[in-house]
Amino acid sequence: MRLRFASLGSGSRGNATLVEWAQGSLLIDCGFTVKETELRMARLGKTARDLTAILVTHEHSDHIKGVPALARRYDIPVYMTPGTYHSRDLGELPKLNLIHAYTPFQLEGLQVNPVAVPHDAREPAQFVFEYEGLRLGILTDLGSITPHVEAAYQACDAILLEANHDPFMLASGPYPPSLKQRVGGQWGHLSNQQAAGFLQRIDTRRLQHLVVAHISQKNNSLDVARAALEPVTQAVQQVTYACQDQGFDWLAVVQVERIAASA
C-alpha cells in the first residue's frame, strides 16, 4: 500500500475522509460525534489513535462538529486556516497548526497542498495530496470552479469531487428560497453539471478513481448524478458514489507505468 483513501460518510449530516500512506494517516474533517467517528473508523479497520493529524476544510458543522472533542481525546494535531479557527469557539486544541496563505506543508512524507475555493465560509480550503509521484485531490464545498481550482487539480491519480445537486430538483424542491439561492450560488455547492464541466476541462488521463461525493439527499439522486457525469467519465478506471451513511471503502491509488506514446 502506497496511498489509499476512504470515507466515513459524505453529505449534509456529516463528512469525514481518511487518507493513509506508508508513514501515516489523516482525517479530513470530522462532522460526526466522537462515538460515531470511532464506530465508522472501526468499519474501515482504523482507530483514532492511528491518526497523524486532522485537517479541517471549513467551519460548517457537518465538517467540524467532532474535530475539537476528537483532537482533545486522542491528542491529535489539527490543521486549519486562521479564518476557520477564528470563525467559531472551538475551545482548547492541544496541537493547533494554522495554515497561513494556503502554504503547502509536509506530514510524514506526504505533501499537503491547500487550495483556496469559493464557499460561504470564512477561509475555506480544499486539498491536493502528493506522495511518491501520486496525486490525490479532495474537492467539495465550493459553489464555482475558478481558474485557480482548475490549475490545482490537473493530472490527479484520484479525485473526490462534489456533485451536490441537480438545478431542477433544487429549484422545485423543499428548501426555502434563501437556502436555494445559497446552495445554487457562486459560493454554495457544485451542481452535477458543474462537476461534469470541471472534469471536461482538467487533464484526467491519469485518473484511476473518481469519487462523486456530498450528494444531496433532497436535491439530487444517484441516477440523476450518474446521468450527468457518465458522458465525461468513460475513460476513468473506477467511478464510486459516496453516500451519507456508509461513505465508501478503501480505494488504493497505485503507481502505473506511464509510457509516452511514440511519435
Side-chain angles (χ1 to χ4, degrees), residues 1-260:
M1 187 279 297
R2 291 181 179 272
L3 180 66
R4 65 177 185 168
F5 65 114
S7 172
L8 308 189
S10 178
S12 60
R13 291 189 287 111
N15 297 272
T17 305
L18 277 168
V19 175
E20 186 174 61
W21 64 106
Q23 296 100 309
S25 63
L26 59 83
L27 189 64
I28 305 165
D29 292 334
C30 183
F32 306 102
T33 65
V34 170
K35 181 178 180 181
E36 185 67 20
T37 300
E38 291 172 333
L39 289 172
R40 290 176 182 240
M41 288 189 71
R43 289 203 310 247
L44 295 165
K46 307 300 293 184
T47 74
R49 298 188 188 282
D50 297 322
L51 293 174
T52 304
I54 302 171
L55 272 58
V56 181
T57 61
H58 64 294
E59 69 271 18
H60 292 165
S61 61
D62 58 324
H63 293 263
I64 204 173
K65 178 172 65 177
V67 169
L70 190 70
R72 284 192 285 268
R73 178 171 295 186
Y74 293 99
D75 197 35
I76 305 169
V78 178
Y79 292 76
M80 66 180 75
T81 65
T84 298
Y85 176 65
H86 292 296
S87 65
R88 58 193 298 172
D89 183 7
L90 300 175
E92 175 110 19
L93 293 175
K95 296 177 180 177
L96 174 65
N97 299 269
L98 295 180
I99 304 170
H100 291 281
Y102 299 95
T103 302
F105 58 96
Q106 292 270 338
L107 280 175
E108 302 293 339
L110 180 77
Q111 172 85 5
V112 181
N113 302 299
V115 181
V117 296
H119 191 50
D120 57 351
R122 187 157 171 185
E123 194 179 4
Q126 295 294 313
F127 298 98
V128 175
F129 303 100
E130 297 182 45
Y131 181 71
E132 295 189 352
L134 298 170
R135 284 171 52 84
L136 165 63
I138 306 294
L139 185 60
T140 68
D141 294 82
L142 70 165
S144 52
I145 302 293
T146 64
H148 174 69
V149 169
E150 282 190 18
Y153 288 82
Q154 298 291 334
C156 284
D157 297 278
I159 296 177
L160 186 152
L161 174 65
E162 171 175 79
N164 174 258
H165 63 275
D166 170 75
F168 177 79
M169 291 179 67
L170 176 65
S172 58
Y175 283 4
S178 60
L179 185 53
K180 290 179 181 181
Q181 185 174 10
R182 173 191 169 265
V183 170
Q186 295 295 298
W187 300 85
H189 291 273
L190 293 185
S191 69
N192 298 333
Q193 289 74 18
Q194 286 174 298
F198 168 74
L199 291 169
Q200 285 181 304
R201 294 190 300 273
I202 64 169
D203 180 0
T204 58
R205 287 174 292 180
R206 287 171 49 171
L207 199 57
Q208 301 171 31
H209 295 288
L210 170 67
V211 178
V212 183
H214 219 307
I215 301 170
S216 172
Q217 295 178 303
K218 294 184 178 180
N219 304 305
N220 208 353
S221 73
L222 289 179
D223 288 342
V224 171
R226 282 195 186 98
L229 292 168
E230 278 183 350
V232 300
T233 58
Q234 299 296 322
V236 180
Q237 294 180 29
Q238 182 172 345
V239 180
T240 302
Y241 288 82
C243 70
Q244 179 68 81
D245 294 328
Q246 286 82 35
F248 59 88
D249 205 347
W250 289 110
L251 297 173
V253 189
V254 300
Q255 293 281 3
V256 177
E257 186 177 358
R258 301 181 180 105
I259 303 175

